[in-house]
Amino acid sequence: MVHFVYDGSFEGLLTAVFDVYEDKAQRAQLFSVKNYQPDAFAERRDVLTDSVKANRVWKGLFRKLSPQGLLNVYSVYLSERDDRETLLLAFFRRVFAESVSIEDDFSSPLIVQISQISRQIHREKHRFEAFVRFIHLKGDVYFASIEPDFNILPLIGPHFTERYADQRWIIYDTRRQYGLYYDLKQVQEVYFEEVPDSSVLDLSSDQIEEGEELMQKLWQVYFQSVNIVERKNMKLHRKHLPIRYWKYLIEKQI
């Protein structure tokens, strides 16, 4: 068995797949360096991320898969599951071995699992496109912190870039300690040593823009006023708005 250890990036993963085929390694496993545990009975190969190799693999997938199939591949990578490399390598082997598309072969447990993981990721993506709440900070920057179960920042960036194209904003994933910053021109990744809390209650007046606190109180009043007590169904409410999201929602800080 040969263990191909890559740097954890998507480009690195694709490079590792290229190296597996280049070495004709029939018994191979892929590992992110962060999760790798040495095995005395396996040979370790360190993968140097190479954009040329990664692009060749991606172009090969592009010829074999639909846009949804490509998105499923990227979604499994973003899932951060411990077995994502095993699933994707098995999937790639089938894709490249077959002359016809295999992505709709739902008789295969592998294809079903890939599809289910992708749906999980995109369910959370859609939730955070609705649940992100920004705070207007000094310096005319809108800030929001999130803590998603999956690494969905790369997927929600385009939504907020289109929706808030005229505002500078930061969405920061506190679990993974990185964020996206939109500067009115492009989106780039940012890393903070200290992450400000998104709750207006924990921010001092010299950190938030004048009028922000009033706007948040007005939003809370609006949320309360449209709530019809007689129709309250907390079970259904929690189903559509899980409790784990509440601490970042302004309307829940009452």
Side-chain angles (χ1 to χ4, degrees):
M1 179 66 72
V2 182
H3 291 172
F4 290 81
V5 183
Y6 71 104
D7 61 5
S9 68
F10 187 60
E11 197 173 55
L13 173 65
L14 296 180
T15 303
V17 173
F18 183 95
D19 287 354
V20 168
Y21 276 85
E22 187 176 54
D23 291 358
K24 297 182 173 56
Q26 296 300 318
R27 299 181 68 243
Q29 285 184 287
L30 309 182
F31 294 93
S32 164
V33 66
K34 181 180 177 183
N35 301 324
Y36 184 64
Q37 297 291 330
D39 184 336
F41 301 100
E43 177 187 352
R44 172 173 173 163
R45 299 268 184 89
D46 289 316
V47 175
L48 297 178
T49 299
D50 185 319
S51 60
V52 175
K53 291 180 178 179
N55 283 334
R56 286 184 61 180
V57 175
W58 188 249
K59 286 179 180 177
L61 294 171
F62 188 82
R63 286 192 292 270
K64 293 275 193 172
L65 298 175
S66 67
Q68 182 59 51
L70 294 169
L71 188 57
N72 288 350
V73 168
Y74 190 47
S75 297
V76 173
Y77 165 75
L78 294 177
S79 73
E80 300 177 325
R81 291 169 54 107
D82 291 340
D83 61 351
R84 63 178 179 176
E85 288 88 359
T86 301
L87 292 172
L88 287 175
L89 182 58
F91 182 70
F92 294 158
R93 286 192 187 280
R94 277 211 61 190
V95 168
F96 292 132
E98 302 285 348
S99 58
V100 296
S101 173
I102 53 92
E103 62 186 284
D104 292 327
D105 177 16
F106 292 107
S107 64
S108 164
L110 174 64
I111 306 302
V112 171
Q113 193 171 9
I114 295 280
S115 178
Q116 287 175 338
I117 294 170
S118 180
R119 282 202 298 273
Q120 285 181 319
I121 305 295
H122 284 270
R123 190 180 302 122
E124 181 147 271
K125 165 188 175 289
H126 289 305
R127 281 175 169 166
F128 273 92
E129 286 175 349
F131 297 158
V132 167
R133 299 289 185 267
F134 288 100
I135 293 176
H136 196 186
L137 301 180
K138 294 283 188 181
D140 200 23
V141 176
Y142 290 82
F143 177 84
S145 57
I146 62 176
E147 193 177 353
D149 291 337
F150 305 110
N151 181 19
I152 48 94
L153 267 183
L155 298 177
I156 67 175
H159 169 82
F160 288 99
T161 301
E162 181 177 357
R163 186 170 182 180
Y164 300 110
D166 60 344
Q167 298 169 354
R168 292 189 299 141
W169 50 258
I170 297 172
I171 303 175
Y172 204 84
D173 184 337
T174 57
R175 176 174 294 182
R176 295 165 187 82
Q177 296 293 303
Y178 86 104
L180 298 180
Y181 170 54
Y182 174 66
D183 63 0
L184 302 179
K185 295 179 180 177
Q186 61 182 354
V187 176
Q188 56 186 305
E189 290 186 7
V190 291
Y191 301 85
F192 297 145
E193 292 184 2
E194 293 185 8
V195 183
D197 196 307
S198 67
S199 170
V200 69
L201 299 176
D202 295 329
L203 293 173
S204 62
S205 58
D206 60 347
Q207 292 177 295
I208 62 175
E209 194 66 52
E210 185 177 357
E212 173 63 21
E213 191 170 5
L214 173 61
M215 291 300 295
Q216 297 210 12
K217 289 188 181 302
L218 289 174
W219 173 245
Q220 290 169 340
V221 170
Y222 169 78
F223 183 78
Q224 289 289 71
S225 64
V226 299
N227 182 30
I228 301 174
V229 177
E230 291 78 8
R231 295 184 179 178
K232 183 179 289 186
N233 183 336
M234 291 307 296
K235 184 177 179 180
L236 182 63
H237 183 62
R238 286 192 290 268
K239 178 181 177 182
H240 292 290
L241 186 57
I243 292 176
R244 66 179 183 276
Y245 300 136
W246 289 13
K247 66 179 181 179
Y248 293 112
L249 297 178
I250 294 165
E251 59 269 35
K252 290 294 185 184
Q253 311 305 314
I254 299 176

